Amino acid sequence: MITCSAPGKVYLFGEHAVVYGEPAVCCAVDIRTRVSVAPADSVTISSSLGTTGIDFETHPYVSAVVERFREIISLEGVSIRIVSEIPVGSGLGSSAAVTIATIKALDTLLGTGLELDDIARMGHEVEQRIQGAASQTDTYVCTMGGVVMIPQRKGLDLIDCGIVIGNTNIFSSTKELVANVAELNESFPEVIGPVLSSIGMMSTVGEDLVNSKDYVSVGKLMNINQGLLDAIGVGCAELSSFTYAARNNGAYGAKITGAGGGGCMVAIAPREHVDDVAAAIAAAGGEAVVTEATDIGVREE
Ligand code: PMV
């Protein structure tokens, strides 16, 4: 049996603006999805959602990966088992992580010799097939790990402080939120255009601050980024409440991560304050997860 894992991700800066060509900074976090594969006579895929064969309703990403491998190598059967710490549909990159970990696990089992770039590319193709449209961000960061500026694919220094994620457990549709921002931008281009450029500038200014480990300043920029995300209509009461709870309990800064409208927020904090930050988010009604940045992308366990 072979087990491979891949990490989730958060955005330090730049979601939504990245859709308009602005830079964003993403960070792989040490919440992982593990995929184990073993030879078998037929295809079985098991996860917390149940056990199926190739099934595009229950296990769309893994089913698409198996079909993709069948285009390059003979593959009758395989037993695939998924165990994930990444909450589904919360903007933390759960679909990219299961896709990338499955590709690496099958690559290792079948000896197809894929390089990391091939894995990221195949993962992006699979996400596109299942989602219709998908940015390369999640699959790239999850494959490579670390802190990455997108679309330049430039590696930044690893974040060396605590990271706390607050999940609203409110479903939000990335597609819908991206469409809402586009509509706002069409109605008020003179207003929204500069807001999106300012969000992009946050990544440019943030790059040096991340590399010099100036987390006080990174946190301040995250707070400004949060204000601008609110301004383009992707916030919600819960996300605001969790970001204030985090900031009032020792975080350097806190903001939405991902599409917004629900999903998750992220705070960075000195390690001695992460428990206070997590407790404050929980007291405000969120599900808090304390984690760290990781430079370990997809890997065999
Ligand atoms: O919520 P997520 O992780 O799917 O992130 C969405 C990020 C956006 O910038 C809003 C869209 C995108 O494709 O980059």
Side-chain angles (χ1 to χ4, degrees):
M1 189 176 75
I2 283 157
T3 300
C4 291
S5 73
K9 66 97 197 26
V10 293
Y11 276 90
L12 291 179
F13 308 112
E15 54 273 89
H16 286 289
V18 74
V19 175
Y20 297 81
E22 297 290 343
V25 177
C26 266
C27 172
V29 287
D30 199 19
I31 312 173
R32 303 184 75 85
T33 295
R34 292 183 173 78
V35 175
S36 302
V37 295
D41 294 336
S42 60
V43 175
T44 56
I45 307 169
S46 64
S47 71
S48 60
L49 303 173
T51 299
T52 68
I54 296 270
D55 179 338
F56 281 85
E57 290 290 316
T58 312
H59 295 122
Y61 296 95
V62 175
S63 298
V65 171
V66 173
E67 289 202 341
R68 185 72 184 78
F69 268 86
R70 282 179 165 166
E71 290 167 16
I72 53 176
I73 195 164
S74 151
L75 171 61
E76 268 300 303
V78 62
S79 155
I80 303 174
R81 185 168 169 67
I82 304 150
V83 178
S84 185
E85 301 164 354
I86 309 175
V88 173
S90 58
L92 299 179
S94 63
S95 59
V98 76
T99 302
I100 296 298
T102 305
I103 293 172
K104 175 75 178 164
L106 287 180
D107 172 58
T108 310
L109 183 73
L110 303 170
T112 34
L114 298 178
E115 302 287 338
L116 285 180
D117 277 336
D118 303 326
I119 292 175
R121 196 174 317 112
M122 190 189 279
H124 181 234
E125 285 165 15
V126 165
E127 282 214 325
Q128 275 182 317
R129 174 175 172 195
I130 300 304
Q131 298 173 9
S135 84
Q136 295 181 26
T137 313
D138 284 19
T139 38
Y140 185 80
V141 176
C142 164
T143 303
M144 305 300 172
V147 181
V148 183
M149 185 177 268
I150 300 288
Q152 296 83 347
R153 299 187 164 191
K154 187 171 176 186
L156 275 52
D157 280 9
L158 200 64
I159 298 286
D160 185 14
C161 68
I163 295 179
V164 185
I165 291 164
N167 191 349
T168 62
N169 283 311
I170 298 169
F171 173 81
S172 75
S173 155
T174 299
K175 199 169 168 181
E176 228 168 79
L177 284 148
V178 168
N180 291 349
V181 173
E183 200 183 306
L184 207 57
N185 190 36
E186 271 161 37
S187 305
F188 306 107
E190 308 82 348
V191 178
I192 301 299
V195 174
L196 294 169
S197 317
S198 291
I199 293 178
M201 191 51 76
M202 226 84 71
S203 303
T204 308
V205 174
E207 179 184 351
D208 281 349
L209 299 174
V210 167
N211 286 340
S212 60
K213 303 196 185 306
D214 179 356
Y215 302 123
V216 171
S217 300
V218 172
K220 282 182 187 163
L221 274 185
M222 287 171 72
N223 293 343
I224 301 170
N225 196 159
Q226 168 64 16
L228 297 186
L229 286 168
D230 236 348
I232 59 171
V234 300
C236 70
E238 290 81 356
L239 287 166
S240 289
S241 143
F242 301 173
T243 50
Y244 281 112
R247 290 176 202 167
N248 292 338
N249 286 277
Y252 292 122
K255 61 179 272 297
I256 290 164
T257 178
C264 291
M265 50 72 68
V266 60
I268 61 165
R271 291 193 174 90
E272 63 270 26
H273 290 319
V274 289
D275 290 338
D276 295 340
V277 170
I281 291 170
E287 193 180 323
V289 179
V290 174
T291 185
E292 292 267 335
T294 180
D295 56 7
I296 302 169
V298 67
R299 70 153 178 210
E300 190 178 348
E301 297 264 290

